[in-house]
Amino acid sequence: MEETAHEAVGLTFHPLDQFQLSPLFGAGGADYNPWFFSLTNATLWMAISVLGIFLLFVTATRSRSIIPTRGQSVAELIYGFIRKMVDDVAGHDAGRFFPLILTLFLFILFTNFFGLLPMSFTATSHIAVTAVLGFGVFIFVTVLGFVLNGKKFLGLFWMTDAPLFLRPIIAVIELISYFVRPVSHSIRLAGNVMAGHTVIKVFAGFAQVAAISPFAILGVAAIYGIEILVAAIQAYVFTILTCVYLKDALHPGH
Amino acid sequence: MEHEETTHAADAAHGAVTEELTHGTAVPSEGPIPLLQPAYFDNLIFWAVIALIAIYFILTRMALPRIGSTLATREGTISSDLAAAEAFRTQAREAQAAYDRAVAEARAEANRIAQQTRDQIQSELDAALAQADAQIDARAAEGARAVAGIQAQAQASVAEVARDTAREILRALGAQVDEAAVDRAVIARTGG
């Protein structure tokens, strides 16, 4: 897609270059192959996310005011929002997993939003990062399901209220859908973020032609607005699905 | 081609290629798109895990206990304030009732005092009227007595004058003055 656009219009489009890793110190490039511990732009922007979370949740709540300050109020709003989601979706006994779920939500939310800054890097656009989240949730939920319920966890796949001859078929379908969960879970997030960022770059590329540049810039602004929605909605969707999966592990009978 | 340009630009920006870049194998320029670049996976996964662990510890060690206690304190403060407000409202209601009662009592008392005063004034007025009537009666009786006395005296004087006149007439006529006959005649004529 990059290549076709490049040759057909004669414009330079690099909509995917924004996803390249580059070292913080030294030169990178398309063939940059970092060590796992190398300090890259991904490291920097994830660190900025962590710093943002620290500022909002630790620094802003320092005063412990009864009447909250602005930052404290935002932190409490997010706290209450995710707390309620965990209680409503995963059940009241899921409260001990609330910090884990809030961790996921905040990581995705902050990474998505900092990724919307121009020149920044969006870690959640990389399937490798979202797979850590998606498969992390999958493995955690599966292990938890077996630890808490033992063999009864397999009841998730064996529909006792279905006719007997249908049960094996349903079990196969359920099993497949269960193992597809982490894949869809992580691709949904990465795909949404990546697509939006790429479309912005494509619109920005069209701004090179003077005649259509006003439309291109309007397009960038419009897509940017949608991306702000997507940044929040995808964090929400990822979190609520995590709660749903967690509910399956806690109460496989339902 | 464009990848090489980027590399050159980055080289120019950063000066020299660092030692780190020479580690590992270089990825061919015609590799997959950056999002599916296997060369990035270990780095991204490593730092994502580090970031998640950092966020988890920031939340569990610092943020969540603090926010939880703040929310609990707030809830406690709000409910105690509400209870206090409820108590104050009850007090206010009681005070209102006491005030209303006091006003009603004061009004009744005022009515009673007014009635009493009215009654007292009325009785005093009646007494004064009675006294005045009695005095008027006494004066009138006295006047009547005086008038009667004066009348009687005048009648007596008339009788005296008539007797004297009758005696003098008899004497002037040279007749024997019969006192008793004169008296009878005078009494018969004056009616008294």
Side-chain angles (χ1 to χ4, degrees):
Chain A
M1 165 186 152
E2 182 185 3
E3 292 299 319
T4 51
H6 192 199
E7 262 141 63
V9 191
L11 301 169
T12 45
F13 281 96
H14 303 289
L16 296 176
D17 283 4
Q18 58 178 324
F19 303 119
Q20 277 179 5
L21 284 190
S22 60
L24 284 184
F25 307 103
D31 54 357
Y32 174 53
N33 184 5
W35 290 100
F36 73 88
F37 52 82
S38 301
L39 294 174
T40 60
N41 49 353
T43 317
L44 173 70
W45 286 97
M46 283 195 259
I48 288 173
S49 293
V50 173
L51 183 71
I53 293 166
F54 183 89
L55 287 177
L56 183 61
F57 275 78
V58 179
T59 312
T61 61
R62 203 179 33 208
S63 62
R64 298 164 189 255
S65 313
I66 296 295
I67 299 160
T69 56
R70 275 187 294 182
Q72 189 188 346
S73 160
V74 172
E76 284 169 3
L77 196 76
I78 294 174
Y79 178 101
F81 178 66
I82 301 300
R83 178 92 231 185
K84 190 172 182 303
M85 187 200 290
V86 171
D87 282 351
D88 289 353
V89 178
H92 289 289
D93 48 348
R96 60 199 155 123
F97 304 114
F98 166 63
L100 274 174
I101 289 168
L102 187 60
T103 301
L104 291 174
F105 179 74
L106 290 178
F107 176 78
I108 298 168
L109 189 76
F110 275 72
T111 311
N112 281 354
F113 271 106
F114 280 123
L116 283 174
L117 294 174
M119 313 303 290
S120 71
F121 178 86
T122 320
T124 40
S125 63
H126 275 269
I127 194 77
V129 173
T130 58
V132 167
L133 305 172
F135 280 90
V137 168
F138 176 74
I139 293 166
F140 177 79
V141 161
T142 308
V143 170
L144 185 77
F146 277 112
V147 167
L148 289 182
N149 307 291
K151 277 185 183 172
K152 267 194 275 176
F153 184 61
L154 293 172
L156 200 60
F157 309 110
W158 196 252
M159 297 289 157
T160 46
D161 43 359
L164 186 62
F165 71 96
L166 276 179
R167 281 182 210 170
I169 304 167
I170 293 175
V172 170
I173 295 169
E174 286 289 325
L175 210 59
I176 293 170
S177 92
Y178 188 80
F179 280 98
V180 167
R181 276 180 183 182
V183 179
S184 64
H185 207 189
S186 42
I187 290 179
R188 181 185 304 109
L189 175 57
N192 271 288
V193 176
M194 182 274 281
H197 285 235
T198 309
V199 170
I200 286 182
K201 288 281 174 174
V202 170
F203 270 103
F206 278 117
Q208 293 167 100
V209 181
I212 55 172
S213 62
F215 302 104
I217 289 164
L218 272 178
V220 169
I223 300 293
Y224 196 91
I226 292 171
E227 276 303 280
I228 288 172
L229 281 178
V230 166
I233 289 169
Q234 285 307 315
Y236 172 76
V237 165
F238 193 97
T239 315
I240 204 160
L241 281 174
T242 305
C243 290
V244 170
Y245 299 162
L246 188 62
K247 195 202 78 174
D248 282 345
L250 296 172
H251 312 286
H254 305 291
Chain B
M1 181 174 70
E2 56 182 281
H3 295 320
E4 280 164 20
E5 279 169 24
T6 327
T7 315
H8 287 309
D11 279 0
H14 291 288
V17 178
T18 55
E19 185 65 19
E20 200 177 71
L21 252 189
T22 61
H23 288 306
T25 49
V27 179
S29 290
E30 294 302 315
I33 61 168
L35 292 163
L36 298 174
Q37 177 60 268
Y40 294 168
F41 287 175
D42 52 354
N43 184 274
L44 285 168
I45 291 169
F46 174 72
W47 288 113
V49 169
I50 297 286
L52 289 169
I53 291 171
I55 295 168
Y56 184 77
F57 276 96
I58 287 171
L59 290 181
T60 50
R61 294 293 147 89
M62 302 158 92
L64 298 188
R66 187 182 287 180
I67 295 175
S69 76
T70 308
L71 290 179
T73 314
R74 180 174 310 147
E75 206 164 308
T77 310
I78 287 172
S79 57
S80 69
D81 282 1
L82 280 179
E86 187 58 40
F88 280 133
R89 190 157 62 173
T90 316
Q91 275 182 16
R93 226 177 255 145
E94 279 166 7
Q96 176 73 39
Y99 167 78
D100 287 347
R101 223 169 21 245
V103 165
E105 274 169 15
R107 195 167 285 147
E109 181 70 9
N111 281 339
R112 196 183 59 74
I113 290 171
Q115 191 58 45
Q116 196 178 13
T117 312
R118 218 174 286 131
D119 290 352
Q120 196 179 343
I121 288 168
Q122 188 63 48
S123 63
E124 279 171 11
L125 191 63
D126 288 349
L129 279 175
Q131 197 181 356
D133 282 349
Q135 279 176 357
I136 288 165
D137 286 352
R139 290 264 179 84
E142 201 178 329
R145 256 199 320 277
V147 168
I150 289 165
Q151 212 167 9
Q153 206 175 350
Q155 205 141 19
S157 302
V158 166
E160 189 63 39
V161 168
R163 218 176 286 133
D164 284 354
T165 310
R167 228 179 271 134
E168 285 305 314
I169 291 169
L170 287 174
R171 209 168 284 135
L173 291 174
Q176 185 72 37
V177 178
D178 184 355
E179 290 289 334
V182 169
D183 284 351
R184 268 198 310 273
V186 166
I187 289 164
R189 292 303 286 241
T190 58

